[in-house]
Structure formats: C-alpha cells, structure tokens
Amino acid sequence: MKLPRIRSHGRGRTLRDLALTAPAVAVMVGIGLFSLVWAIYFSFWPMEGNLWNPGFSLEHYRALFDSTRTVAIFAKTLAKVLVIAVVTTAMAFPVAWYGGQTLDGRAGALFILVAIAPFWTNYIVRTWAWMLMLGDKGLINEVLTGVGAVAEPISLLYTEFAVIATMVYIYLPYSLFAMYGSVDAIPGSQIEAAYDLGSNRFEVLRYVILPLAMPGIVLSFVFIFGRAIGAYVTPELVGSPRTLWYGNVLVNQFKDSFNWPLGAAYSVVLFAFVLVVLAGLSRWLTLRKVMT
C-alpha cells in the first residue's frame, strides 16, 4: 500500500516543481524565441535608400555571402575561436583533474571554487585589467624589461594576441565547470587496472582518461565556442581595426551603418552556423555522459 503513495507523492512533487519553474522558463524561452523570430523576419526587409520597409528580399543574405571581406573575417574569427577553445580546455583540464581526482569530495569542489574566485568580478573589469597588464607600461612589459628579456616594451595591446589571451582568461571558469563533473566521475579503479596491465602514463591518458573525460571536454568546447564566436566587447576593447571579429562587423551594421536588416541577417547566419555545429557535437554530448 505504500508504493502507490510514494509514486503519487513523486508525481505531485514533480508537478509542483514544474509549476514553480514554468513562469521563469516561459519568460526566458519567450524572450529568446521572440528575438530569434523577429531577427529572421527583419532580415528579409528590403532597403530603399537609407530606409527599410516590411517585405521580403534576399538582398541582405546575398550581400553577406558576396562580400569576400565579411566571409574572410568570419573564417578568421572561426579559426581564432578554435584556438581559444583548444588552449582554454588544455589549460583547464589539469586543474579539473587535480580537483576531481587528486582531491576528494568537498575538498575538490572547494578547490574549484577557489580556482574560479577571481572570475566573480565583472566581465568588463577583467578585460580592463588585462588592458592594464598588456600596455606598454603594463605588468608584462615591466617584467620583461626588468629582467632584461627585451630592451624596449613590446606592443602587446590592440593585437590578436591580446584578444586571444584575454578571452582565454575570461572563458577559463566555464571550461573548469564543464569538465569537473566528467573528470570527477572517472573511476580510479580503471586507471589502476590500466597500469596493472602494463600501460604507461601516455597510454593511460590516451586510452583511458581522455575517452572517459571526453563528454566534459566536448562540453567545454561547446561553452567556449558558443560564447566566443559572437564576441564583441573583448575584441572591441583590446583589439583594433586590424583585428576585427565577426561580432564587431555585425554590431557595426546596427551602430554605424544603421542597416538593421543586414545586421539581422548577419545574426541569423551566425545563429544557424552555431546550431549546425552544436547539432554535430550532440552525438558526443548528453547530460548523462557529462555527469557519469
């Protein structure tokens, strides 16, 4: 007689939880869907002189794909995002490994929280901090000139290096969070068994650790890729006109050119591209794989 009541209680609790979260979910999904639908609809509005009118035209998509400059900027942005994703994930993996495997339970979780504590400050503040460090009189140049590594300060700010280094720093906590659960769930017995069977450290890493940690690694890549591909603030602050990203070109259509339908077309193409990439990665990425 107890089992039906337990199940009923479980269903009631689930319905109550759904009822409590439904308003927030509805608002978030509603705003997201409204923005997406409006961007798609607006991207087809034709331009007449400097004004746009409701209608249907593919002129903005043709202009986007016919622009070799825009396509080249998108390709360069994609290449830089891949570099950022790989470097950030590679840097975060040893930290996640130490917190998930070397430390136990609460100590590991506390270690990860301490590791990401500096990232609790504002996004803009962290970007400005890197601007101060990368400047001609910044910390990096002061150290290099102080130890005699260089005779004069190196121009680091407003370069591709500045943008990539800053974004790696900014996205590092997302990578840690993404990989920690997957690394923490790796059974130590499987690693010990691999050593007992004669495997060396490289073989254990390649054939045991990386396959088991791959869901977390892919999740880290997804987080970084999804956020970095449309980045605007960091490239705008620490970059220059010579280091344009696709996000800068997109925003300029709204801010400078005042060609909002073309900017909407840029946004739709970017969204579609990210969606295709995520769909391709979905076969490796499920919540169950990440957490177990």
Side-chain angles (χ1 to χ4, degrees):
M1 296 297 295
K2 293 183 179 180
L3 185 59
R5 286 189 296 182
I6 292 176
R7 289 181 175 177
S8 177
H9 177 72
R11 287 197 299 269
R13 184 174 181 178
T14 301
L15 292 175
R16 185 176 68 251
D17 293 342
L18 289 175
L20 291 173
T21 58
V25 172
V27 171
M28 294 177 64
V29 173
I31 293 175
L33 286 178
F34 174 80
S35 302
L36 176 61
V37 172
W38 177 253
I40 295 173
Y41 172 62
F42 197 51
S43 67
F44 293 107
W45 284 23
M47 291 287 294
E48 296 181 3
N50 295 325
L51 301 176
W52 57 80
N53 294 301
F56 181 85
S57 174
L58 296 175
E59 64 179 88
H60 305 299
Y61 291 96
R62 284 195 294 265
L64 193 161
F65 290 108
D66 288 343
S67 173
T68 55
R69 175 177 177 270
T70 302
V71 174
I73 291 175
F74 182 83
K76 292 179 180 178
T77 300
L78 178 59
K80 290 180 283 190
V81 168
L82 292 176
V83 171
I84 291 170
V86 170
V87 172
T88 307
T89 303
M91 292 178 62
F93 185 82
V95 182
W97 177 264
Y98 182 78
Q101 289 291 324
T102 306
L103 300 179
D104 297 327
R106 294 181 179 179
L110 180 61
F111 172 77
I112 296 298
L113 289 177
V114 172
I116 66 173
F119 302 101
W120 293 349
T121 55
N122 185 269
Y123 180 97
I124 303 297
V125 172
R126 283 181 280 147
T127 303
W128 273 99
W130 270 88
M131 293 179 67
L132 295 176
M133 288 193 295
L134 293 169
D136 290 344
K137 296 183 179 180
L139 177 62
I140 296 177
N141 272 309
E142 289 291 336
V143 172
L144 292 176
T145 54
V147 300
V150 295
E152 297 180 354
I154 304 173
S155 297
L156 298 175
L157 193 58
Y158 309 124
T159 63
E160 294 286 13
F161 170 79
V163 178
I164 292 175
T166 305
M167 292 182 71
V168 167
Y169 170 79
I170 289 173
Y171 295 135
L172 197 58
Y174 300 101
S175 184
L176 285 174
F177 271 125
M179 285 191 292
Y180 175 72
S182 184
V183 171
D184 182 58
I186 296 177
S189 58
Q190 294 192 19
I191 299 175
E192 294 177 3
Y195 281 121
D196 292 340
L197 293 173
S199 300
N200 55 40
R201 291 186 177 181
F202 176 76
E203 291 172 337
V204 171
L205 176 64
R206 179 180 178 183
Y207 297 109
V208 179
I209 295 175
L210 288 182
L212 293 175
M214 190 55 64
I217 294 173
V218 175
L219 183 62
S220 169
F221 178 86
V222 168
F223 277 171
I224 298 169
F225 180 85
R227 295 180 63 87
I229 191 69
Y232 166 74
V233 175
T234 301
E236 184 74 10
L237 291 177
V238 302
S240 69
R242 294 179 289 104
T243 62
L244 278 179
W245 282 48
Y246 186 80
N248 300 108
V249 178
L250 189 157
V251 173
N252 288 340
Q253 298 301 324
F254 293 94
K255 188 179 67 172
D256 299 331
S257 301
F258 208 65
N259 192 340
W260 289 18
L262 181 58
Y266 278 40
S267 303
V268 172
V269 170
L270 178 62
F271 176 80
F273 180 81
V274 173
L275 198 63
V276 170
V277 172
L278 296 183
L281 294 174
S282 63
R283 62 187 298 264
W284 286 292
L285 186 63
T286 63
L287 184 60
R288 180 175 297 179
K289 287 182 178 181
V290 171
M291 301 305 297
T292 59

